[in-house]
Amino acid sequence: MSTDKKWAMVIDLQKCIGCDACTVACKAENRTPPGVTYNIVITEERGTFPNVTKVHLPRPCMQCDQPPCVQVCPVKATYKLENGITAIDYDRCIGCRYCMTSCPYGARYFDFGLDYSQEMVGYNEVQAPEYGIDRGKRENGKSPIGNVRKCTFCYHRLQRGEEPACVEVCPGDARYFGDLNDPESVVSKLAASPRVFVLKEEMGTKPRVIYLK
Amino acid sequence: MKSSERLTKAWYGVLVLLMAFGGWAIIERVQAGLVVTNLTSDMTWGAWVAFYIFFVGLSVGSFLLSTMFFVFKMEKYQKISRDALLVAILSMGLAMCFILLDLGRMERFWHTLRYWNFTSMLAWEVRFYAIYIGLLTVEFYFSMRQDLIRVAQGTGWQASLVSFLTFGSTDLTDKSKQRDHKLLKNFRLNWNSHCYFRSSRGGRYAFCRG
Ligand code: SF4
Ligand code: SF4
């Protein structure tokens, strides 16, 4: 994959219907264990009766350009890739969970080693090739168990030239994915919209997930 | 048996039971992983992190207490100065045990020294702890050296073990004693920051006047 890409995601809150299809697609794609949910949809009611409205806010990892999680990791297991993605090296991470404490978006999850083997046949037989690394079976004592995990922007799908699973599945077409380095890309154009905002801008994290209000 | 003796024995019994319980809990944790702690991704750090900080604080407090005698020659602290050093070392050991138990992947604890992220407070902490523990150990050795030499001049396996630690030195003169004390003192003054030195000196004057 060429490294001159700078991946970004735009989420249009006017189009999001709060169906949580992205959450489910993410779980299926990344085969995340119980307690690890790279993507969630936060629903909030606004206004007072009778003028009320619901806002649905999908929250993946923001892939911040100034990520506090990278700053605090004592062993550099969390680091920035050239393509803008914040990655975790599961073979280096010691599981100290400092990064979870530092992430302002609660985007990080600890893999306690739980699984869905009761609910699903063969859950432990195969893992998602996160960051393009095939780790074989999910086994006790093997990474990523005991490590911190988070949304990878479906790095392994990007390598195959596919969109992240949440983008592909979104029935409201609320998610856009693309290259911010390319001024002609849809995300670049949307990022210039007056509706643009990012979460917790005051923290200076410079998220690569951009919202349209 | 006197009743106070019985009480002591009962107390020790309770302690042994508690230790057995703790040992079982550690085995559980090592085998099953952090899932047994009831920590979650929302509440990431628990009591172990608090204990670890507590023992680091205890260690530094003890270290400062031993300074009263080793550096400032306040004789009334002589009796406890060495005990304080030992407590400082043991506290650091305990603190490290707690933080080790808290790691998701304990077997990779050495990564903290192998890899260094310059902007990570935790990475700096680990390195300073290592230096600090080294410093404590060396000081403890010099604070005991005179006694070790004395034991080494006896007989039996203790003597031969200890003579290994003293590198065969038999020098018990006042001069060697003074040298050890001077070493102890200089060690601290050189190693500790200027700031620490100044504040403890200020403290000393206040103390003496009072
Ligand atoms: S959202 Fe959190 S985990 Fe993701 S890059 Fe930002 S600080 Fe790191
Ligand atoms: S849990 Fe892993 S990734 Fe997070 S700060 Fe610790 S070593 Fe780094």
Side-chain angles (χ1 to χ4, degrees):
Chain A
M1 195 162 46
S2 63
T3 50
D4 54 348
K5 297 242 192 301
K6 282 274 182 200
W7 298 117
M9 191 182 281
V10 176
I11 304 178
D12 189 341
L13 297 188
Q14 294 299 324
K15 286 168 124 189
C16 175
I17 56 174
C19 65
D20 258 313
C22 44
T23 310
V24 176
C26 175
K27 242 182 150 34
E29 174 65 36
N30 292 297
R31 298 177 76 92
T32 49
V36 179
T37 317
Y38 294 168
N39 182 84
I40 56 170
V41 181
I42 302 162
T43 299
E44 198 183 75
E45 273 182 36
R46 290 206 180 139
T48 45
F49 183 81
N51 298 318
V52 284
T53 170
K54 258 190 185 173
V55 179
H56 305 290
L57 187 117
R59 193 249 39 212
C61 162
M62 303 291 141
Q63 318 289 354
C64 311
D65 272 345
Q66 295 287 334
C69 57
V70 170
Q71 188 188 334
V72 302
C73 177
V75 297
K76 278 195 181 155
T78 283
Y79 60 103
K80 283 300 277 186
L81 296 173
E82 298 229 337
N83 59 16
I85 294 174
T86 307
I88 304 173
D89 182 345
Y90 290 150
D91 295 317
R92 188 184 284 196
C93 168
I94 58 171
C96 67
R97 313 191 293 296
Y98 198 178
C99 52
M100 299 174 68
T101 328
S102 78
C103 172
Y105 306 100
R108 290 180 162 253
Y109 297 85
F110 186 75
D111 191 333
F112 283 97
L114 303 173
D115 62 45
Y116 288 115
S117 55
Q118 295 295 315
E119 294 86 348
M120 182 181 161
V121 177
Y123 173 77
N124 286 325
E125 292 308 306
V126 51
Q127 297 188 79
E130 284 179 39
Y131 307 107
I133 299 166
D134 189 0
R135 292 182 179 273
K137 284 186 186 171
R138 182 171 162 83
E139 273 165 340
N140 218 352
K142 244 173 73 178
S143 284
I145 292 176
N147 294 133
V148 166
R149 304 174 63 173
K150 66 163 197 73
C151 161
T152 67
F153 259 6
C154 278
Y155 185 92
H156 56 289
R157 286 174 63 95
L158 298 178
Q159 280 182 319
R160 303 197 292 252
E162 294 171 14
E163 286 181 320
C166 54
V167 180
E168 191 173 273
V169 82
C170 178
D173 211 6
R175 293 193 184 228
Y176 302 88
F177 192 82
D179 179 11
L180 266 193
N181 269 359
D182 173 8
E184 292 305 309
S185 70
V186 181
V187 284
S188 294
K189 286 178 183 160
L190 286 175
S193 153
R195 287 160 62 208
V196 154
F197 76 101
V198 294
L199 294 182
K200 298 195 182 175
E201 189 177 8
E202 71 281 4
M203 315 250 0
T205 51
K206 303 219 163 56
R208 303 194 72 78
V209 174
I210 300 160
Y211 292 89
L212 301 178
K213 54 174 164 256
Chain B
M1 212 157 50
K2 272 195 294 186
S3 74
S4 70
E5 257 176 53
R6 263 207 300 274
L7 214 68
T8 316
K9 281 218 169 117
W11 175 234
Y12 281 173
V14 170
L15 288 183
V16 166
L17 275 181
L18 281 176
M19 276 166 70
F21 177 67
W24 168 80
I26 288 175
I27 292 171
E28 276 287 285
R29 183 260 170 268
V30 171
Q31 280 184 343
L34 279 180
V35 69
V36 296
T37 59
N38 261 351
L39 290 169
T40 62
S41 288
D42 298 320
M43 200 177 54
T44 53
W45 283 349
W48 280 335
V49 174
F51 288 158
Y52 139 75
I53 297 294
F54 171 79
F55 279 105
V56 170
L58 190 62
S59 170
V60 175
S62 287
F63 177 68
L64 289 180
L65 194 58
S66 72
T67 304
M68 297 290 181
F69 173 68
F70 288 132
V71 178
F72 300 118
K73 296 279 166 289
M74 299 170 80
E75 299 292 336
K76 61 179 167 183
Y77 290 109
Q78 177 179 10
K79 262 195 184 150
I80 54 162
S81 59
R82 223 152 61 176
D83 299 3
L85 257 185
L86 184 62
V87 168
I89 295 176
L90 293 181
S91 299
M92 275 319 276
L94 264 177
M96 293 300 118
C97 286
F98 275 120
I99 209 60
L100 178 68
L101 276 179
D102 192 62
L103 291 186
R105 298 202 66 100
M106 287 195 273
E107 79 282 10
R108 293 187 189 158
F109 72 93
W110 57 274
H111 283 198
T112 51
L113 290 169
R114 167 71 182 76
Y115 305 106
W116 190 353
N117 183 5
F118 200 72
T119 55
S120 171
M121 199 55 78
L122 210 59
W124 283 94
E125 253 174 47
V126 168
R127 277 157 187 85
F128 279 124
Y129 288 154
I131 295 171
Y132 174 59
I133 293 173
L135 170 74
L136 286 178
T137 316
V138 172
E139 286 210 14
F140 191 56
Y141 171 73
F142 276 108
S143 75
M144 297 215 308
R145 215 178 67 95
Q146 299 291 321
D147 290 339
L148 289 178
I149 292 174
R150 224 163 278 135
V151 175
Q153 283 164 356
T155 50
W157 63 269
Q158 286 113 322
S160 35
L161 178 78
V162 166
S163 69
F164 172 72
L165 286 175
T166 55
F167 302 105
S169 165
T170 51
D171 190 0
L172 268 177
T173 53
D174 272 354
K175 214 171 136 204
S176 102
K177 202 164 158 184
Q178 269 163 17
R179 204 197 53 170
D180 280 359
H181 271 255
K182 215 167 146 201
L183 266 173
L184 268 171
K185 182 172 168 179
N186 288 345
F187 219 63
R188 287 186 184 216
L189 299 192
N190 293 336
W191 276 86
N192 297 314
S193 69
H194 183 58
C195 203
Y196 156 62
F197 172 46
R198 281 229 313 235
S199 64
S200 3
R201 199 169 55 171
R204 176 202 178 195
Y205 289 149
F207 218 88
C208 293
R209 251 183 267 126

